[in-house]
Amino acid sequence: MSKQLYLSSSPHIHSGDSTSKVMRAVLYSLLPACAVAVYFFGPAALTVLLIATLGCLATEVVCQRLMGQPVTIADGSAAITGVLLALNLPPSSPWWLTLLGAVIAIAIGKQVYGGLGSNPFNPALVARVVLLISFPVQMTTWSSPTPFGSGLDLVTTATPLGEWKNAVMLTGQMPPELQSGMADYFLGNMAGCIGEVSALALLLGAGYLFYKRILTWHIPATFVGTVVLFSSVFWLVNPDKYPNPLFHLLTGGLVLGAFYMATDMVTTPVSTKGMLFFGVGCGVLTVLIRLFGGYPEGVSFAILLMNAATPLIDRYSRPKTFGTSRQGVRS
Amino acid sequence: MKLKTFTGGIHPPDNKQWSSHKAIEDCPLPAEFVVPMAQHIGAPAVASVEVGQSVSKGQEIGSAKGFVSVPVHAPTSGEVVAVESRPHPWGTSLPAVVIKPDGEDCWSTDLQPGDPGSLTVDEIVEKVRLAGVVGMGGAAFPAHVKMSPPPEKKISTLIFNGVECEPYLTADHRMMLEEPERILQGVALLQYVFGAERVVIGIEANKPDAIALLEKECAGAPVEILSLQVKYPQGAEKQLIAAVTGREVPSGGLPMDIGVAVHNISTAAAVADAVLFGRPLIERVCTVTGPAIREPKNLRIRIGTPLSHLVEVCGGLTEDPGKIVLGGPMMGFTQLDFDVPATRGTSGLLLLRDEDVDRQEEGPCIRCSRCVQACPMHLLPTTIAAYSRRDLLAEASEYCAMDCIECGCCSYVCPATIPLVQAIRYGKAAILAKKRSS
Ligand code: SF4
Ligand code: SF4
């Protein structure tokens, strides 16, 4: 034999999966949501998407160059952060706000911790929350959707969740018409962040990720399930003041949050038990913040808080090692 | 019906189609045998012949040293041409007896068939020991040791491993199809030795012909044939026991702690040879396969046959291999060249091409949890590997590093291609070394 062989440790075959394949699949799964956003919000949404994505890629390159590390934008993770950030911004975001968000997401949300795999918080959410706190006006200026061909300009309006919150604060009562537009909410015909409006498009993408076995049911199911159950309790007690669970489900960023933000692998627990706990925690916090917090929307804060708890959850949700249950009998 | 199995595990492509339909062929004798003295877990044998001496087939050429050790025998008749260190599959040079066959291939006259009816349990175990029988599934643990559990450990369930879950390998499959009588003779002998109430032969459901045949052969006998879900590592001892009995071998314990003993079906056949015919373990069935070999085969090989001879018998290589693997692709070990001999544990010789070998660069862990879902021991491979790599041994063992069975599932699924098993193996060795020195 002419060639030098190497000794290597088993196993000698591999599934062929790679980080960049995983990331690429996530990007594909976000395409329907992006398409719907562009359909409803037109060039404004496209601009936000482009600036956020290119901004994240550029920031990653700059950070890695400055730190003398190999540039790894080809792994796709920065692009995902960019798209997710865009989907978490209002369609009317000015260009500088979007760009600032991209820089914050990558530089502060990710690279300061050492890059991919080391960041404790979902980078896109870090950026969103920083922007929300620093620029509350720009971050809560919503446009009503103007589907292509309707010839309308973007008009400033409130999100369904925001409307409800204002009404309850002013009158202690919920406007009844709010709960009648469920089909529109489901399809995306409502005001909100670029990516939160269409549950349908998001679920389509999530279906693809399930099929690819990149997403498991644990976090999304427990997150959504907990929101539905927990919000039902309040609704049953006082249906005049608290919106019904379906309203919680379809408005605001719950679907986007539960399927794409809370499932960010890097910032969530690794064990099954831990994921279940994580999902329930996100659900409880979301409802509490929505109903009693200062912001109409609670998904981002809930996820970030649970991100912070992830190391703790990991520590206490270790799977039971094979052969350690009582008397060797499987429990 | 839902087939029995364990939790965790993976589904690599089984790639058995290369050789599963090929009947076992006798491998012609090579020009020279290199019989290593170390072929089993435990103390190696010590050469008991001299250069120039002529030996007959089955004659003892290395004697056992200690209880966990077995003798080694001549694979054919011929002349001892060297007693020296030779390259060994374990990666170093180790003592071996080199035999030049005389072509007669005549058996030693010392070998006596036994009558199972008149043998006591101890006599059977002794015959197995003298025949040098070791576990043939790959671990090569001396069989007589497993057959002599302490009296307080009563074995109630005896499991025979016909799972063969490693991709590519088909040697056990062919054994079950072609030599069920030998296997079942061994099964009966081992059942007698252990006095077990329940006897199960576990086979993965991807060998329906073997399952059907053994079911037919066992009709009326107190032996259950259990078809198991196709999943790697279904053939690992603890996972097999979990599937068959629903019980877990306690961490740090042995199967006998829960009243179970597991033997490979090929080991059973070797036990039958040893007890009924007085024949030592000098041959085994080995699958020579993979995309880089011209004609994949199941060969009956003599122990000590150089790998180069096996390659030749299988029509040579189609291209320079990317990897030479002894055993299966999940747990086998790589070789630098074909200059080493097959041993009693050589269940397969796998030739992979460059393109079959994943050479992606390692990336950071993205905490995707695939390794956690795949681990059949329910460990956190990513955590243990990270601790091992940073020499945080206390933490690694706190996360049960020592329970890792090195099955490779975690490395197989990791999208960041982190060599998890390699890191954990290193950690385990370091933990053991530290324990020994303190
Ligand atoms: S940690 Fe060990 S037992 Fe678990 S999958 Fe990896 S190699 Fe197998
Ligand atoms: S499979 Fe690899 S990347 Fe995924 S959690 Fe395990 S070590 Fe990390």
Side-chain angles (χ1 to χ4, degrees), chain A residues 14 19 265 270, chain B residues 363-374 380-383 385 409-420:
Chain A
H14 187 264
T19 302
M265 302 160 180
V270 287
Chain B
C365 170
I366 53 170
R367 295 174 45 86
C368 67
S369 101
R370 289 180 191 203
C371 56
V372 179
Q373 312 298 329
L380 295 178
T382 176
T383 313
C409 292
C410 48
S411 291
Y412 179 82
V413 295
C414 178
T417 48
I418 301 171
L420 295 161

Side-chain angles (χ1 to χ4, degrees), chain A residues 9 12 14 17 266 268 323 328, chain B residues 248 251 329 332 367 370 414 425:
Chain A
S9 171
H12 308 293
H14 187 264
D17 245 326
V266 172
T268 53
Chain B
E248 295 183 354
S251 168
R367 295 174 45 86
R370 289 180 191 203
C414 178
R425 208 176 270 145

Side-chain angles (χ1 to χ4, degrees), chain A residues 9, chain B residues 385 387-393 406 420-433:
Chain A
S9 171
Chain B
Y387 281 136
S388 297
R389 284 177 151 195
R390 282 182 280 152
D391 266 316
L392 296 168
L393 301 180
E406 301 180 22
L420 295 161
V421 188
Q422 203 175 338
I424 296 171
R425 208 176 270 145
Y426 162 78
K428 283 173 70 177
I431 291 167
L432 274 183

Side-chain angles (χ1 to χ4, degrees), chain A residues 250-267:
Chain A
L250 295 179
T251 65
L254 182 63
V255 174
L256 178 64
F259 285 88
Y260 291 96
M261 313 303 289
T263 52
D264 170 29
M265 302 160 180
V266 172
T267 57

